[in-house]
Amino acid sequence: MGIYEELVARGLIAQVTNEEEIREMVNNGKATFYIGFDCTADSLHVGHFMALCLMKRLQMAGNKPIALIGDGTTLIGDPSGRTDMRQMLTEDAIKHNAECFKRQMEKFIDFSDGKALMLYNSEWLKPLNYIEMLREVGACFSVNNMLRAECYKQRMEKGLSFLEFNYMIMQSYDFYYMFQHYGCNMQFGGNDQWSNMLGGTELIRKKLGKDAHAMTITLLLNSEGKKMGKTASGAVWLDPNKTSPFEFFQYWRNVDDADVLKCIRMLTFLPLEEIDKMAGWEGSQLNEAKEILAYELTKLVHGEEEAEKAKAASKALFAGGGDTEHMPTTELTNDDFGGGSIDVLTLLVKCGLAASKGEARRLVQQGGVTVNDEKVTAIETTFGCEQFTGDGVVIKKGKKVFHKAVLV
């Protein structure tokens, strides 16, 4: 099985410009391909993880990846998948975020001996003269076609700024520039990037009379059609300081039964034959599959040692043990205890187990909150600050989410 056939079997490919040519290129290691990463935060998250794994798979098959750090396009902001305009970041913040991305990417991609490139699109976008840019590429883009693009259509109701309208042109110019200067003949990205990617292939065809290719990756959605990688406290990050290895492990350990095999197939490097044997698993075997998923992904992101620790802590908790060393922890100060105590609703919000006091109230009323093995049934319940000294308290949300709170 070639790498292209493997990607198909894993359910990773959504759309391609020319299947026959792309199959021939990637199976024979002839693709120099890029994926762009805009620097909108100081860590990559689960959505990026899927792209990094794709780059790793293709590099292992002999293809050459280009990790494009979008420090130039971040100054504009991608409207794809958004109902509102992105927050404008300073150049210093973007530079810091780019450095964080670089360190994380090096764990997945081998940049030694020219096997892969890491480029920054500010290098060619920032020196562009506006009039020269318009004359060079402006005539290649139809405003009518751009407005039909899915990434713009969903913004038209609330208003699409002219700033964001330029994003497709900037991303297309990236592909055009790297095609000429780095031999980049393919672009990969999320399925919501399709219109922007086609803009690049069209620009290359119109300006240079040559073919370039694009392929989109299937978005990681759960059985309800929602993007995976979000929790009540926000995104699931690859940075261990933002999402601890234990939290990362628990996120995957707690995926729905309907999603576990899909995630194993799309995200792990386990052989397909091994995964196919899991297809008939039910009941307790599905829990075993979830453990395999959580362990494999935690090992990929945080290393084998952290994966082992997270697995041991998870097993101890589910067995009713007391291993809380690697449990996600919130540190509380005396200021959090007005009058020497804290109510359960405030505690849940402080620990990121509920997004609001309204959500916390519903959790308690539905019997979904346990503190130190005692179910909390009243929303008026309070806890004294002395309970949070030493090892602190363990809060359990539902059957699977554990959190520790300590007084510092």
Side-chain angles (χ1 to χ4, degrees):
M1 182 186 289
I3 183 62
Y4 186 86
E5 287 75 24
E6 182 179 344
L7 296 179
V8 171
R10 289 184 181 272
L12 288 167
I13 298 178
Q15 300 179 86
V16 294
T17 49
N18 186 312
E19 186 173 37
E20 189 176 333
E21 291 186 16
I22 289 175
R23 179 190 287 111
E24 194 274 333
M25 287 171 69
V26 300
N27 280 350
N28 291 290
K30 296 178 181 177
T32 298
F33 67 95
Y34 95 90
I35 297 180
F37 301 82
D38 277 359
C39 315
T40 52
D42 58 1
S43 171
L44 298 166
H45 53 65
V46 161
H48 298 119
F49 172 67
M50 195 165 171
L52 291 171
C53 287
L54 176 70
M55 296 177 88
K56 184 180 177 76
R57 291 182 204 278
L58 289 165
Q59 186 179 47
M60 289 166 66
N63 298 285
K64 184 175 181 178
I66 298 175
L68 179 64
I69 305 292
D71 57 337
T73 38
T74 307
L75 291 166
I76 304 301
D78 183 5
S80 302
R82 303 279 301 190
T83 56
D84 55 357
M85 188 168 151
R86 290 184 186 274
Q87 179 187 352
M88 297 288 283
L89 299 177
T90 65
E91 292 197 38
D92 284 343
I94 291 171
K95 184 178 180 182
H96 169 72
N97 293 348
E99 283 301 309
C100 295
F101 280 20
K102 181 176 183 290
R103 289 194 295 272
Q104 291 178 335
M105 287 177 179
E106 287 170 344
K107 293 181 180 179
F108 293 86
I109 304 162
D110 181 3
F111 289 97
S112 67
D113 304 322
K115 294 173 188 170
L117 297 174
M118 184 176 291
L119 303 176
Y120 296 80
N121 63 10
S122 62
E123 292 179 14
W124 55 82
L125 292 179
K126 289 186 75 172
L128 286 172
N129 174 284
Y130 188 59
I131 292 177
E132 288 177 3
M133 168 80 164
L134 286 176
R135 286 177 63 85
E136 183 177 4
V137 304
C140 298
F141 290 86
S142 160
V143 171
N144 292 21
N145 289 340
M146 289 173 74
L147 290 176
R148 281 195 288 269
E150 199 60 41
C151 60
Y152 291 142
K153 276 199 305 188
Q154 61 191 20
R155 288 297 310 281
M156 295 301 285
E157 286 183 23
K158 287 194 174 182
L160 175 71
S161 71
F162 181 69
L163 178 77
E164 296 168 290
F165 188 63
N166 282 272
Y167 190 89
M168 182 186 291
I169 297 172
M170 307 270 289
Q171 183 171 333
S172 300
Y173 191 88
D174 284 343
F175 198 1
Y176 170 62
Y177 185 91
M178 288 186 289
F179 183 92
Q180 295 178 90
H181 294 87
Y182 295 97
C184 179
N185 50 26
M186 294 187 70
Q187 180 182 178
F188 293 80
N191 204 22
D192 53 355
Q193 292 288 315
W194 185 239
S195 300
N196 292 341
M197 294 163 71
L198 289 182
T201 60
E202 278 295 289
L203 180 60
I204 291 166
R205 186 182 61 78
K206 289 177 179 177
K207 292 292 296 180
L208 304 173
K210 295 181 179 178
D211 290 329
H213 300 283
M215 184 184 94
T216 59
I217 316 163
T218 308
L219 293 177
L220 189 60
L221 305 176
N222 63 18
S223 51
E224 297 171 350
K226 296 177 182 176
K227 272 189 182 181
M228 296 185 73
K230 293 279 187 183
T231 67
S233 56
V236 179
W237 302 99
L238 305 192
D239 183 341
N241 295 313
K242 292 168 78 73
T243 299
S244 72
F246 178 85
E247 287 175 293
F248 190 85
F249 184 98
Q250 286 298 105
Y251 176 81
W252 298 108
R253 175 62 182 79
N254 294 335
V255 298
D256 288 342
D257 291 355
D259 298 320
V260 60
L261 282 180
K262 177 180 70 176
C263 290
I264 290 176
R265 192 170 278 113
M266 293 174 80
L267 297 173
T268 76
F269 284 78
L270 294 175
L272 283 167
E273 304 78 38
E274 189 176 328
I275 299 169
D276 289 339
K277 291 176 184 175
M278 302 179 193
W281 285 12
E282 295 177 355
S284 61
Q285 285 183 307
L286 276 179
N287 286 329
E288 185 184 340
K290 291 177 186 182
E291 281 201 357
I292 291 169
L293 171 67
Y295 180 82
E296 290 295 326
L297 298 192
T298 307
K299 185 171 71 170
L300 272 171
V301 175
H302 298 294
E304 189 169 358
E305 184 180 349
E306 291 297 336
E308 290 289 350
K309 287 179 186 176
K311 182 179 178 180
S314 179
K315 278 185 176 295
L317 285 167
F318 279 102
D323 182 2
T324 65
E325 183 184 353
H326 307 293
M327 190 184 296
T329 301
T330 296
E331 296 182 341
L332 302 175
T333 67
N334 285 320
D335 293 339
D336 294 312
F337 294 87
S341 64
I342 188 171
D343 66 88
V344 66
L345 304 186
T346 302
L347 179 63
L348 290 169
V349 173
K350 286 270 184 190
C351 293
L353 297 171
S356 66
K357 285 194 175 182
E359 183 183 328
R361 183 181 291 106
R362 287 190 294 276
L363 277 171
V364 172
Q365 291 172 337
Q366 292 165 6
V369 177
T370 302
V371 177
N372 280 352
D373 294 327
E374 289 190 16
K375 184 163 290 224
V376 179
T377 56
I379 60 173
E380 301 84 8
T381 303
T382 60
F383 305 94
C385 61
E386 69 281 355
Q387 293 177 256
F388 294 82
T389 57
D391 291 335
V393 303
V394 174
I395 307 149
K396 185 177 174 186
K397 185 177 85 168
K399 295 180 179 179
K400 302 174 180 178
V401 178
F402 296 87
H403 197 93
K404 184 166 68 172
V406 297
L407 178 65
V408 293

